[in-house]
């Protein structure tokens, strides 16, 4: 056996012995607890979410009879799927994602100060509380820690918490499927107009008063404009003010009716609006209100 082959054989044997030694050596590393990071969090019991930013900005979400609402917006509805997704992400956090136990590294992970999150049940009992810090380099997680601990964890799947009311607000004015709309009624101070879909030819629309066809593209534009109309803020609740500047009503399959009434612009440039059956008066941007009126005016009705 030449020297080269002998050296190779010795190297293989030595490597095998090293691996054998490592495998039999005791593991002196501290045991890592594996379990939920927020073990007391029961999503079904969660009734209030509190967020507090580093500059003192805050936001509160509360669970009402019909879902999550924003007390800071007079109790207007929040985006339900968004809140449910947030709670699900928090419930999935694990202690397995420990990245540091060193208090001196809090600044490195942005958890020396950060967004404070607290979740309570209906009786005020705290179900979960943590401090969220910086964004992980891969952008797929943030860092955070429990307030009473020095340990820092990777919060996998939890995006940076937002504190703007507009982000959580269910801001779409009306939600509907255009294909289910069978008739549209438009009304202002000068009169009204009803446009109906031809039952035999679903892409054909006519004026009810004259029977004359109207351009389907204009109907589609009106419906798309309405679907793309979002409120800017909630102005009032249980307002006695009557809005009658412009009214639009949709008649959907199954006898469902959706409508919105606009008023005249108020201070600040917002246009008050109220949807059928709602207790809230909301504010649309002047641009959104004008776009809606312009789309309705394509049917030749004066005053829109």
């Amino acid at each position: 056996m030449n020297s080269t082959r002998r050296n190779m054989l010795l190297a293989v044997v030595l490597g095998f012995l090293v691996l054998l030694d490592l495998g039999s050596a005791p593991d002196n590393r501290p045991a890592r607890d594996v379990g939920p990071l927020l073990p007391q969090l029961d999503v079904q019991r969660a009734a209030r979410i509190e967020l507090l930013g580093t500059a003192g900005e805050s936001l509160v979400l509360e669970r009402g009879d019909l879902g999550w609402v924003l007390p800071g917006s007079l109790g207007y509805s929040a985006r339900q799927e968004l809140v449910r997704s947030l709670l699900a992400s928090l419930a999935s956090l694990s202690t397995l994602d420990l990245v540091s136990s060193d208090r001196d590294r809090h600044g490195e992970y942005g958890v020396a100060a950060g967004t404070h999150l607290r979740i309570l049940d209906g009786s005020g009992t705290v179900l979960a509380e943590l401090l969220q810090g910086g964004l992980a380099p891969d952008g797929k997680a943030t860092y955070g820690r429990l307030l009473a601990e020095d340990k820092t964890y990777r919060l996998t799947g939890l995006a940076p918490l937002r504190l703007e009311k507009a982000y959580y607000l269910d801001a779409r004015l009306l939600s509907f499927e255009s294909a289910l709309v069978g008739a549209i009624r438009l009304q202002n101070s000068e009169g009204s107009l009803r446009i109906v879909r031809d039952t035999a030819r679903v892409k054909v629309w006519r004026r009810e008063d004259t029977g004359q066809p109207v351009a389907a593209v204009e109907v589609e534009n009106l419906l798309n404009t309405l679907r793309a109309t979002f409120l800017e803020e909630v102005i009032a609740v249980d307002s006695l003010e009557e809005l009658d500047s412009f009214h639009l009503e949709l008649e959907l399959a199954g006898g469902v009716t959706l409508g919105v009434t606009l008023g005249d612009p108020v201070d600040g440039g917002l246009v008050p609006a109220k949807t059928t059956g709602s207790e809230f008066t909301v504010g649309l941007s002047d641009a959104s209100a004008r776009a809606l009126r312009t789309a309705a005016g394509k049917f030749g009705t004066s005053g829109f």
Side-chain angles (χ1 to χ4, degrees):
M1 179 182 298
N2 60 43
S3 59
T4 301
R5 294 181 61 189
R6 184 172 60 254
N7 290 340
M8 291 179 61
L9 181 60
L10 289 174
V12 171
V13 173
L14 180 60
F16 176 76
L17 292 175
V18 169
L19 291 175
L20 186 63
D21 181 64
L22 290 175
S24 61
D27 189 352
N28 295 320
R29 294 174 298 175
R32 176 178 292 191
D33 294 331
V34 178
L37 180 62
L38 304 170
Q40 303 304 316
L41 176 56
D42 181 343
V43 171
Q44 299 304 317
R45 288 175 55 205
R48 182 180 172 91
I49 301 172
E50 300 175 348
L51 298 172
L52 180 64
T54 55
E57 66 275 33
S58 63
L59 181 131
V60 173
L61 294 155
E62 288 184 348
R63 193 197 296 267
D65 294 336
L66 300 178
W68 290 91
V69 300
L70 288 152
S73 292
L74 304 178
Y76 198 83
S77 179
R79 294 164 58 192
Q80 303 302 308
E81 287 301 322
L82 180 65
V83 180
R84 283 194 284 265
S85 177
L86 171 61
L87 290 171
S89 295
L90 291 167
S92 69
L93 298 177
S94 171
T95 56
L96 183 62
D97 293 324
L98 176 69
V99 295
S100 172
S101 298
D102 189 351
R103 180 185 181 89
D104 293 335
R105 300 187 66 186
H106 283 180
E108 177 183 342
Y109 295 107
V111 295
T115 301
H116 182 186
L117 175 142
R118 191 165 70 151
I119 300 176
L120 304 92
D121 67 8
S123 65
T125 301
V126 177
L127 302 178
E129 192 168 18
L130 61 75
L131 193 73
Q132 186 187 53
L135 185 68
D138 61 6
K140 297 180 180 179
T142 50
Y143 295 115
R145 66 179 177 88
L146 304 181
L147 271 68
E149 296 185 5
D150 292 334
K151 296 177 181 178
T152 300
Y153 297 89
R154 177 184 168 91
L155 309 180
T156 303
L158 185 64
L161 296 169
R162 305 275 294 271
L163 284 89
E164 313 91 60
K165 288 188 296 184
Y167 177 71
Y168 295 93
L169 203 64
D170 186 5
R172 188 183 294 275
L173 189 63
L174 288 177
S175 296
F176 61 93
E177 294 296 331
S178 297
L180 299 180
V181 178
I184 304 170
R185 186 167 69 89
L186 305 171
Q187 182 176 353
N188 63 15
S189 59
E190 299 186 18
S192 64
L193 168 68
R194 189 167 181 262
I195 303 168
V196 296
R197 189 194 294 269
D198 192 311
T199 55
R201 294 175 293 175
V202 296
K203 292 187 178 181
V204 176
W205 292 80
R206 301 181 184 278
R207 290 178 60 125
E208 185 181 53
D209 54 353
T210 65
Q212 294 179 336
V214 297
V217 66
E218 300 297 357
V219 176
E220 183 179 350
N221 178 58
L222 173 61
L223 295 177
N224 287 341
T225 301
L226 184 57
R227 282 168 53 88
T229 301
F230 295 85
L231 63 96
E232 296 291 318
E233 64 178 71
V234 182
I235 297 176
V237 60
D238 292 328
S239 173
L240 298 179
E241 179 184 2
E242 293 293 331
L243 307 179
D244 57 8
S245 175
F246 167 72
H247 179 75
L248 183 153
E249 189 172 273
L250 305 179
E251 299 173 24
L252 280 68
V256 177
T257 300
L258 300 177
V260 58
T261 304
L262 306 186
D264 295 319
V266 297
D267 293 341
L270 292 178
V271 176
K274 199 166 187 177
T275 56
T276 303
S278 174
E279 60 182 332
F280 296 95
T281 299
V282 300
L284 308 182
S285 70
D286 182 61
S288 292
R290 280 190 287 106
L292 200 53
R293 291 174 182 271
T294 299
K298 297 293 184 179
F299 303 104
T301 305
S302 63
F304 287 118

